[in-house]
Amino acid sequence: MASTRPAWLTATVAVWIGTALLFALAFPVAVALDSVLDRVKPMYDDRAEMLWLQSQNVQVTGQSVPVELSPGESVEVAGETFTASPGVTVEVRADEPRLPCVRVHDEHGDVSEWACLDPDSPPVDPDPAEPEPVS
């Protein structure tokens, strides 16, 4: 019985064609996912910075600073001025004065979970100072 497949269609060629099709289908998904990640990055950066500042304020004063900031609004926390990123709203609640929680949302409808200060595992500085170069 003679084979009906063309001679050029070997297993290797079939694997290459399948791989190319897989990449062709995955590329638009990867681009869309990257776009979403780029869109929400300022939101999560603001949440991390505000939680850090709140933890610093709790260490110094014993209290958090409950606040709701609209995009571009500023507040002073722990001796530093924090300004919400364009398109990002920052909410800080403090049901207990020493345990603030931060949530952010953006103009696209993305909303984060509440991130609450855990005294046993405090946040790290999201924007540490650059170390001095060694001469």
Side-chain angles (χ1 to χ4, degrees), residues 64-134:
S64 58
V65 180
V67 68
E68 184 166 341
L69 298 174
S70 296
E73 287 187 323
S74 298
V75 66
E76 187 168 317
V77 180
E80 292 189 37
T81 301
F82 172 87
T83 304
S85 295
V88 177
T89 299
V90 179
E91 300 173 67
V92 179
R93 73 173 189 211
D95 298 335
E96 294 184 41
R98 297 184 59 81
L99 299 174
C101 295
V102 181
R103 178 173 70 177
V104 291
H105 58 91
D106 67 15
E107 62 195 354
H108 305 288
D110 302 304
V111 181
S112 75
E113 297 291 323
W114 285 99
C116 297
L117 181 61
D118 179 358
D120 296 329
S121 179
V124 296
D125 187 350
D127 191 26
E130 292 292 323
E132 293 294 322
V134 179

Side-chain angles (χ1 to χ4, degrees), residues 2-89:
S3 174
T4 57
R5 79 177 172 172
W8 60 268
L9 187 56
T10 64
T12 302
V13 171
V15 168
W16 279 104
I17 290 172
T19 302
L21 286 174
L22 180 66
F23 276 101
L25 294 173
F27 183 74
V29 173
V31 169
L33 180 60
D34 184 56
S35 174
V36 169
L37 292 175
D38 285 347
R39 184 181 76 203
V40 298
K41 185 177 182 324
M43 187 176 86
Y44 285 100
D45 288 347
D46 278 6
R47 185 178 78 168
E49 184 175 353
M50 179 55 78
L51 190 59
W52 164 254
L53 291 172
Q54 291 288 337
S55 77
Q56 297 303 296
N57 204 73
V58 166
Q59 286 179 13
V60 172
T61 69
Q63 293 192 357
S64 58
V65 180
V67 68
E68 184 166 341
L69 298 174
S70 296
E73 287 187 323
S74 298
V75 66
E76 187 168 317
V77 180
E80 292 189 37
T81 301
F82 172 87
T83 304
S85 295
V88 177
T89 299

